[in-house]
Amino acid sequence: MSRLHHLDLVVSSVEESLAFYRDLLGPLGWTDLHEAVGERGEPIVYLLGEDVVPLLGLRQRQADGDPPPHDRYELGIHHVAFTAPSRDAVDAAAERLRARGARFDGEPGERDYVPGYYALFCFDPDGIKVEVVNIDPGASE
């Protein structure tokens, strides 16, 4: 059982980010939506699904002016990683991302982190780095 219940990302456009994340995560089981209102009255949309934990919340930005570009080496989120059930699912996610013109930071492939680690890296509409990963449980060190 996951110990993390949900993660909220503040985004410049819930509508644009929702389209990105639904396209990316829908085929991975994140098919349901739950809407809520934040403490400042901002809309929050949670993506969830059967046996999907944690939930991913997209929360409308409340600050005025243009947002600065996301710097993953400043305080805050470096990247968010989502598990895929297979390498084929990672590859299919890459195809969907390419079709929508997403910017990649690493095409699908093996990584040296642990044996059997296969992942892609891209950026969401606000420049937050996103990973889709499958780790082959049969890979040995």
Side-chain angles (χ1 to χ4, degrees):
M1 178 165 117
S2 174
R3 299 287 181 206
L4 180 64
H5 182 268
H6 67 275
L7 172 70
D8 283 12
L9 300 178
V10 175
V11 298
S12 57
S13 167
V14 168
E15 183 178 302
E16 186 177 343
S17 292
L18 182 59
F20 174 87
Y21 283 103
R22 284 191 93 172
D23 190 31
L24 177 64
L25 300 175
L28 301 178
W30 305 59
T31 56
D32 298 330
L33 297 179
H34 172 74
E35 295 184 26
V37 177
E39 61 268 13
R40 291 186 175 179
E42 74 277 16
I44 309 168
V45 177
Y46 286 97
L47 285 93
L48 58 147
E50 189 173 325
D51 299 324
V52 173
V53 175
L55 286 64
L56 176 66
L58 303 173
R59 183 181 290 253
Q60 185 65 47
R61 180 176 181 266
Q62 296 296 296
D64 292 329
D66 291 333
H70 182 74
D71 183 344
R72 66 183 188 260
Y73 289 97
E74 286 291 334
L75 292 176
I77 293 189
H78 180 274
H79 73 281
V80 180
F82 299 97
T83 302
S86 67
R87 287 179 176 215
D88 287 343
V90 174
D91 293 339
E95 289 302 315
R96 291 190 306 280
L97 290 163
R98 272 190 214 89
R100 71 179 305 107
R103 187 167 53 101
F104 281 77
D105 192 41
E107 291 285 335
E110 289 270 346
R111 304 294 191 259
D112 293 337
Y113 308 134
V114 297
Y117 202 102
Y118 188 83
L120 70 81
F121 300 92
C122 70
F123 297 97
D124 82 354
D126 289 303
I128 297 171
K129 187 173 179 176
V130 177
E131 175 181 359
V132 179
V133 58
N134 173 264
I135 301 174
D136 179 359
S140 63
E141 296 189 44

